[in-house]
Amino acid sequence: MIIPAAIIEQSGPGIDLSNQPEGLTLQMSDPVQDFEYARNAVTLTFDLSGFEHVRVAFEALEYGDEPHEPPPGPFGNAANFDGVAFSTDGVDWYEIQGLRSLRSDRYTAYDLDLDAAVAALGLSYGSAFRIRFCQYDDNPAPMDGFSIQGIQLTGDACPPELLNNGVMEGHYSTAIQTITMTATGGTWTVAYDGARLARR
């Protein structure tokens, strides 16, 4: 399922942002040719409590943008870099995808596994998970900047826990007990064989 952003924030002088049917689209570049560096950032906040198999997909193209690496992670909220980063608390940020070697003649597609990136750092999802697209350079398009299109976050809602106050209907056999449970967020069918639960 597509997970909508709860908050969309932008900072910087050169951001053109629109929400298209195929996903969020943005262009970032310095608005004036003054050779002074400008940082453009779009931060999306999601409530990922109870989600799994979360992925972020988008396509990106550059306009001759010079590469700028982030500081070693975790880095702070004001870091200047060309890439995509995430934060579980809005304080510590970790790059998940650099945008420093894009093509300028066609879009490059990305499909990033957030579960793996978050788990590798020993972190977890919460109600204010942030993803940031950041661009840093000193000229307007078409000399510098990015075009990013079709930004979508997808994932699966985890099944609700088997609680006594859940609404359940049981269908039983001698070997496997199948329980259909209706709760907030949908209907789940699980099979219990005496040792484990498996979602169907």
Side-chain angles (χ1 to χ4, degrees):
M1 66 177 288
I2 296 175
I3 307 170
I7 303 172
I8 301 175
E9 298 174 289
Q10 60 186 63
S11 62
I15 298 172
D16 182 10
L17 184 148
S18 62
N19 206 346
Q20 304 294 329
E22 64 275 10
L24 193 69
T25 294
L26 58 97
Q27 181 171 306
M28 298 188 289
S29 65
D30 193 330
V32 294
Q33 189 174 358
D34 58 5
F35 299 102
E36 291 187 15
Y37 280 85
R39 173 184 182 268
N40 296 297
V42 173
T43 304
L44 312 176
T45 301
F46 300 88
D47 183 353
L48 295 184
S49 304
F51 275 88
E52 61 184 359
H53 309 137
V54 181
R55 307 188 72 87
V56 60
F58 60 92
E59 296 182 338
L61 173 147
E62 74 168 40
Y63 302 111
D65 205 79
E66 290 82 28
H68 298 93
E69 300 229 3
F75 48 87
N77 196 47
N80 299 321
F81 66 103
D82 298 314
V84 185
F86 72 87
S87 175
T88 59
D89 58 10
V91 177
D92 293 328
W93 290 85
Y94 306 87
E95 186 176 56
I96 186 174
Q97 178 63 56
L99 298 177
R100 295 179 288 278
S101 57
L102 296 171
R103 296 182 63 116
S104 58
D105 59 340
R106 65 176 174 81
Y107 283 88
T108 301
Y110 294 93
D111 183 9
L112 310 178
D113 184 343
L114 280 181
D115 284 14
V118 170
L121 294 167
L123 302 173
S124 59
Y125 296 133
S127 60
F129 186 89
R130 298 165 179 86
I131 298 175
R132 173 170 293 165
F133 293 82
C134 190
Q135 181 266 340
Y136 182 67
D137 224 313
D138 62 348
N139 278 305
M143 290 176 286
D144 288 329
F146 297 151
S147 175
I148 302 175
Q149 64 182 17
I151 302 170
Q152 286 190 354
L153 197 76
T154 59
D156 297 326
C158 296
E161 300 207 7
L162 293 173
L163 302 176
N164 290 332
N165 61 356
V167 179
M168 301 183 187
E169 296 176 274
H171 306 282
Y172 306 94
S173 69
T174 55
I176 296 179
Q177 173 181 330
T178 301
I179 303 169
T180 300
M181 181 171 63
T182 303
T184 303
T187 300
W188 300 91
T189 300
V190 295
Y192 177 63
D193 65 4
R196 65 187 184 279
L197 287 173
R199 187 177 71 189
R200 288 181 174 174

